[in-house]
Amino acid sequence: QVQLVESGGGLVQAGDSLRLSCVGSGRTFSDYFIGWFRQAPGKEREFVSGISYYGGTTYYTNSVKGRFTSSRDNAKNTVYLQVNSLKPEDTAVYYCAARSRGTSELIQNYNYWGQGTQVTVSS
């Protein structure tokens, strides 16, 4: 298994930026596709972004395109999510999760999850 720890969240004002980090341990980090998800109170967990094994391909949900950017540094076992131009609607707990090669983007295939980091954006 791989253990994941998120950090970088905080309380910010609308228009501010943050860089979230996801640090993995326990396995070869490049073996995993890393997804970012978020969950706001009263809402279901949603996919935000994903990044392929070596960082060559990224994916974003429509609501964050142009504002969020994923990157990874496998030598540091770390994936980053740069979140810019934050809006109050971005307020949520942000999670990183890992899935192995050969699996689809279904959330059930993300078998390893971090504890989450809170992002709160005030109006």
Side-chain angles (χ1 to χ4, degrees):
Q1 296 183 330
V2 61
Q3 295 82 46
L4 303 173
V5 179
E6 304 95 336
S7 63
L11 174 62
V12 299
Q13 296 177 320
D16 285 352
S17 299
L18 291 169
R19 190 176 74 165
L20 310 183
S21 297
C22 173
V23 179
S25 62
R27 291 288 187 273
T28 301
F29 199 57
S30 61
D31 286 348
Y32 298 98
F33 184 103
I34 302 296
W36 287 94
F37 298 79
R38 66 186 181 187
Q39 187 165 25
K43 297 183 179 180
E44 66 181 4
R45 189 169 298 184
E46 67 169 338
F47 173 83
V48 176
S49 179
I51 186 165
S52 61
Y53 312 100
Y54 300 102
T57 306
T58 54
Y59 306 87
Y60 304 94
T61 193
N62 287 337
S63 63
V64 307
K65 286 182 179 178
R67 299 189 297 120
F68 291 11
T69 304
S70 294
S71 61
R72 70 191 294 166
D73 185 345
N74 288 334
K76 297 181 179 179
N77 290 348
T78 302
V79 166
Y80 304 98
L81 183 67
Q82 180 71 37
V83 295
N84 297 331
S85 301
L86 285 164
K87 306 174 181 179
E89 64 196 69
D90 295 319
T91 296
V93 177
Y94 284 71
Y95 301 88
C96 65
R99 63 176 176 87
S100 300
R101 286 184 171 92
T103 62
S104 72
E105 275 293 318
L106 294 173
I107 193 170
Q108 66 194 46
N109 289 327
Y110 288 88
N111 293 321
Y112 311 104
W113 294 80
Q115 294 180 336
T117 185
Q118 177 72 49
V119 173
T120 302
V121 185
S122 62
S123 301

